[in-house]
Amino acid sequence: MIWAKGLPSSWDFETDIVVVGYGYAGGIASIEAKDHGADVLLLEKMSKPGGISICSGGGLRTAFDAESAFSYLKETCGGMTPDAVLRAMAQGMTELPAYMEELAKINEAEIKAIPSKGNYPFPGYEDLGFCIYGRIPGFDPLTYYPHVRGLRGGARNFKVVEDNVDRRGIKILLGAPVKRLLRTPDKRVVGVLAQKNDRLLYIKARRGVILTCGGFEADEELKRQFFQGSVIVSAAYRGNTGDGIRMAQEVGASLWHMGNFHGSYGLRHTDPHYPFGLRLRRLPDWVPGHPIPSRSEMAWIVIDRHGRRYMNEYPPYAHDVGHRPMQYYDTEIQSYPRIPSFIIFDEEGRKLYPVVMPTFNDSEVFFEWSEDNLAEVDLGILKKAESMKEMALDMKVEPRILRETIEQWNGFCQQGSDNDFGRPSETMVPIQIPPYYYAQVWPVVSNTHGGPVHNEHWQVLDAFGEPIPGLYEAGELGGIFGFLYLAGGNLAECYIGGWTAARHAAQNEPWKP
């Protein structure tokens, strides 16, 4: 691709607001921009919309009281996000249920409000909830979005967003990646350079550009530079390759939260062309100091390459922080002894449930996990051994150490207390009935939080904290969460950031060269 820097002498498209990326955030930003009187062009680089959003559970984190929500968010962000941004997010969380009710009128989607405390007992955690779209008449996620697998709520949520976008007649270009932001000599962003097939498109944005193009979980170089750990496997989507980060950097954006990501641990397919990690089954979250939910038995333990446990496999929000203990680097051996690790469970554990639910938004892959986990043994994803010694030798672990580890674990299960790492007793399942099942396990990133810094209007800021004129972001790109995540918070941020950025941009005076 060859292009001349600077503004073109003529434009291929002209509009008020260009939205870059069509997941939840891009859809909501487009809806709000249109409803506030702006012409909109929505661009998506992949052949189908939905992004990582469509793979989610679809539940948006809500709040009954903005001040309580602010208190909770302040703790989870660990001082890495300004109060003004967190207050805007908290206020938006109180407005989400009514907003969702309005969107649901498009297709009579059912709305479910679910009481749900925060993941940690920080101030304000009891005043939080979830809101999710339930049944939609005549809509089956598996047939309507056959390229998507995951929790059904994500697809229902996107269907509501998509129907609202379509009803407003918003112009959409799929398969049209944005390559550069275009700006004037006085640094105002006034358009984008996109590509459709082999053609470059110069697109004018009179009022602003909103970047809603996701994070960088599918970009290996950015992960190498910003994450600790030798291999961090992407969970579900190939489209999030840090495009918005690079474009925003080029026009002077500052970055935040680059080292924090939402993820867990999981397996890898034996097919080298399968692009995603296989996250282990999501079990119920629990709040420290409160009873563990029912049906929370975890079939497996995790051991390092020396054959020893090193973590609580079931922390309060395992699907967010389960990966963190794996990213330890041992300077004596100059290696990551926990990447990969191994999971182990026995015949009784195998019968509990499918240990993986494949998740993806991708037209080029398809994989379903068997109910009894045995098909994956045939595929070699899971391995089977008739004895602990056989398992240890295949793992290249000292058999004595592995036997001691499992015997100690079984003793903890019998006494109802994990004396080493504090795993909740309700989750503990012994490993004692052969055959034994095991597999290599890796850190898995579901989505990143890093990206351009933004203010309470979701305007992108430069290195000195000043807004870059005409440039906004929303959603996963430059998310607010700097330290600990709040379940459903990314999806809430897609909505809140999307509507905030769009409403602000729609008020801008149009650029007239």
Side-chain angles (χ1 to χ4, degrees), residues 162-218:
E162 188 175 36
D163 284 355
N164 276 276
V165 169
D166 291 346
R167 175 68 62 87
R168 287 161 174 80
I170 293 168
K171 184 173 179 59
I172 303 166
L173 287 182
L174 300 177
V178 174
K179 301 297 185 179
R180 293 289 194 279
L181 298 170
L182 303 176
R183 56 181 176 161
T184 62
D186 63 355
K187 310 303 184 185
R188 175 172 175 171
V189 173
V190 295
V192 301
L193 177 70
Q195 184 175 1
K196 179 68 175 174
N197 300 322
D198 295 327
R199 182 186 171 197
L200 292 178
L201 301 174
Y202 286 87
I203 303 171
K204 180 194 288 187
R206 291 182 289 263
R207 298 180 188 270
V209 173
I210 306 174
L211 298 175
T212 58
C213 44
F216 61 95
E217 59 267 21

Side-chain angles (χ1 to χ4, degrees), residues 80 112 122 164 251 346 352 358 429 499:
M80 298 180 184
K112 295 182 178 180
F122 297 139
N164 276 276
V251 299
D346 71 356
L352 282 176
V429 176
W499 79 46

Side-chain angles (χ1 to χ4, degrees), residues 447-499:
N447 61 268
T448 57
H449 297 296
V453 178
H454 67 76
N455 63 14
E456 67 271 26
H457 306 299
W458 270 254
Q459 292 172 289
V460 175
L461 306 183
D462 66 17
F464 296 98
E466 295 294 326
I468 297 173
L471 185 60
Y472 300 80
E473 67 182 342
E476 179 187 350
L477 179 65
I480 69 166
F481 295 98
F483 182 54
L484 292 173
Y485 178 54
L486 170 62
N490 280 143
L491 304 187
E493 190 171 8
C494 286
Y495 273 60
I496 296 163
W499 79 46

Side-chain angles (χ1 to χ4, degrees), residues 84-258:
V85 175
L86 298 182
R87 288 192 181 279
M89 178 73 175
Q91 179 60 38
M93 289 164 63
T94 69
E95 299 170 7
L96 277 169
Y99 188 85
M100 293 176 69
E101 288 277 2
E102 190 63 30
L103 291 187
K105 293 177 181 178
I106 196 79
N107 53 22
E108 300 180 354
E110 178 187 15
I111 299 284
K112 295 182 178 180
I114 304 171
S116 179
K117 295 180 175 67
N119 300 102
Y120 305 97
F122 297 139
Y125 80 109
E126 293 182 316
D127 291 327
L128 302 176
F130 264 109
C131 203
I132 192 168
Y133 295 109
R135 188 183 67 86
I136 301 173
F139 172 68
D140 174 39
L142 295 181
T143 55
Y144 196 86
Y145 300 121
H147 57 290
V148 175
R149 286 296 182 274
L151 297 170
R152 305 292 184 260
R156 294 189 187 99
N157 195 320
F158 189 72
K159 183 66 165 61
V160 173
V161 172
E162 188 175 36
D163 284 355
N164 276 276
V165 169
D166 291 346
R167 175 68 62 87
R168 287 161 174 80
I170 293 168
K171 184 173 179 59
I172 303 166
L173 287 182
L174 300 177
V178 174
K179 301 297 185 179
R180 293 289 194 279
L181 298 170
L182 303 176
R183 56 181 176 161
T184 62
D186 63 355
K187 310 303 184 185
R188 175 172 175 171
V189 173
V190 295
V192 301
L193 177 70
Q195 184 175 1
K196 179 68 175 174
N197 300 322
D198 295 327
R199 182 186 171 197
L200 292 178
L201 301 174
Y202 286 87
I203 303 171
K204 180 194 288 187
R206 291 182 289 263
R207 298 180 188 270
V209 173
I210 306 174
L211 298 175
T212 58
C213 44
F216 61 95
E217 59 267 21
D219 187 275
E220 296 306 316
E221 180 58 24
L222 287 175
K223 289 190 292 184
R224 271 191 295 271
Q225 293 298 331
F226 291 105
F227 293 166
Q228 179 179 338
S230 57
V231 178
I232 312 291
V233 186
S234 179
Y237 187 55
R238 285 191 272 196
N240 288 349
T241 53
D243 305 344
I245 295 172
R246 293 186 176 90
M247 287 188 286
Q249 280 185 292
E250 186 181 39
V251 299
S254 187
L255 302 181
W256 64 5
H257 308 157
M258 293 297 289

Side-chain angles (χ1 to χ4, degrees), residues 400-441:
R400 174 187 59 82
I401 294 176
L402 181 62
R403 184 178 66 254
E404 290 174 356
T405 296
I406 294 178
E407 287 176 352
Q408 184 178 47
W409 171 252
N410 289 340
F412 290 162
C413 291
Q414 186 174 10
Q415 71 187 33
S417 176
D418 176 8
N419 293 342
D420 284 346
F421 303 104
R423 180 163 145 184
S425 60
E426 297 91 337
T427 75
M428 297 168 64
V429 176
I431 299 171
Q432 54 192 7
I433 307 298
Y436 303 102
Y437 301 89
Y438 58 102
Q440 289 185 337
V441 62

